[in-house]
Amino acid sequence: MRNKNWLTLVGTVIMLVAYTSPVFSQTKKSKGMETANKGGFNRVNHVGITVANLEKSIVFYEALTGTKVSNVDEIGGSRMARVQGLDKTLIKYANLQLNNLNIDILEYVEPVPSKASYKNNQISAMHLCFEVDDMDAALKRLKAIGIEPEGEPIIFEKEDGLKSGFGTVVAYFQDPDGTNLELIAPQGPFKRKGK
């Protein structure tokens, strides 16, 4: 009987330690329980877009978003270079704060940048997608600032091979340096949490 009680006590202690450990508390949050998630990557702070000319890109992104940049600065030196895996660096940048994401517009002075060219189907290519409520109004806004979509927007239908998300509208375009951008009026699983 003593052994059984001892095993029960040890089992209870192990469960209490496991239940209160940081690793277990992350698992609890994923199941909907309210606990701190210190090691999880469940928020995005910003996306950085490297551009050829900071001043011209500020004009473009302010016109596109209807938001003024909140900060213009520069950073460089050996510490910044090392953290990026570079020998040296000097970056002029601007911060554009949107409702749910910041955009860092970056012009590398050192090292001298080279032009990347990505198509959406190339591995490691990325794009930034702006969520809109009214696609027609968003397209008019693009045209007003001199940007043409890469093709006509489409509305997701069954014939596109989807199982859900019908009614979602998307259009693609590029910034002046060729960065791939998208507009989406989302439906179904394309809607963000809390929307």
Side-chain angles (χ1 to χ4, degrees):
M1 189 68 154
R2 268 188 178 174
N3 286 343
K4 188 174 184 182
N5 288 342
W6 175 250
L7 288 175
T8 302
L9 178 62
V10 169
T12 303
V13 169
I14 289 171
M15 287 179 64
L16 283 172
V17 169
Y19 186 78
T20 58
S21 77
V23 172
F24 189 78
S25 63
Q26 287 178 11
T27 305
K28 289 190 303 185
K29 182 168 184 173
S30 68
K31 293 180 179 177
M33 298 175 132
E34 293 299 320
T35 58
N37 185 353
K38 296 177 183 169
F41 301 122
N42 61 357
R43 292 178 305 208
V44 175
N45 177 271
H46 72 271
V47 61
I49 300 175
T50 303
V51 300
N53 182 292
L54 182 62
E55 291 75 21
K56 287 182 181 177
S57 293
I58 288 172
V59 170
F60 172 80
Y61 281 99
E62 284 182 341
L64 178 68
T65 63
T67 304
K68 295 287 187 191
V69 297
S70 61
N71 181 50
V72 178
D73 207 342
E74 64 180 48
I75 189 169
S78 61
R79 289 174 9 99
M80 189 62 181
R82 277 196 309 273
V83 76
Q84 293 188 344
L86 301 170
D87 293 327
K88 61 182 179 175
T89 194
L90 177 60
I91 308 162
K92 297 190 315 185
Y93 68 91
N95 306 109
L96 184 69
Q97 297 176 332
L98 303 180
N99 291 338
N100 64 336
L101 178 76
N102 296 335
I103 298 175
D104 288 356
I105 307 166
L106 312 161
E107 179 187 339
Y108 279 77
V109 178
E110 288 184 341
V112 175
S114 59
K115 173 95 169 141
S117 180
Y118 291 103
K119 297 282 184 193
N120 279 319
N121 67 320
Q122 291 180 299
I123 294 171
S124 82
M126 296 179 72
H127 68 274
L128 176 61
C129 182
F130 294 93
E131 184 176 322
V132 299
D133 296 320
D134 182 338
M135 184 61 75
D136 291 334
L139 291 171
K140 285 178 187 172
R141 184 181 182 92
L142 281 185
K143 290 181 182 182
I145 62 171
I147 301 295
E148 287 293 326
E150 298 206 345
E152 291 296 316
I154 66 164
I155 301 171
F156 290 169
E157 299 173 356
K158 258 190 175 172
E159 70 185 49
D160 298 313
L162 296 170
K163 295 178 184 158
S164 59
F166 307 118
T168 295
V169 186
V170 297
Y172 290 86
F173 63 106
Q174 293 185 341
D175 79 357
D177 290 307
T179 300
N180 295 318
L181 302 172
E182 178 185 2
L183 297 175
I184 187 168
Q187 297 296 319
F190 296 104
K191 284 190 172 189
R192 291 180 296 112
K193 290 181 182 179
K195 288 290 286 181

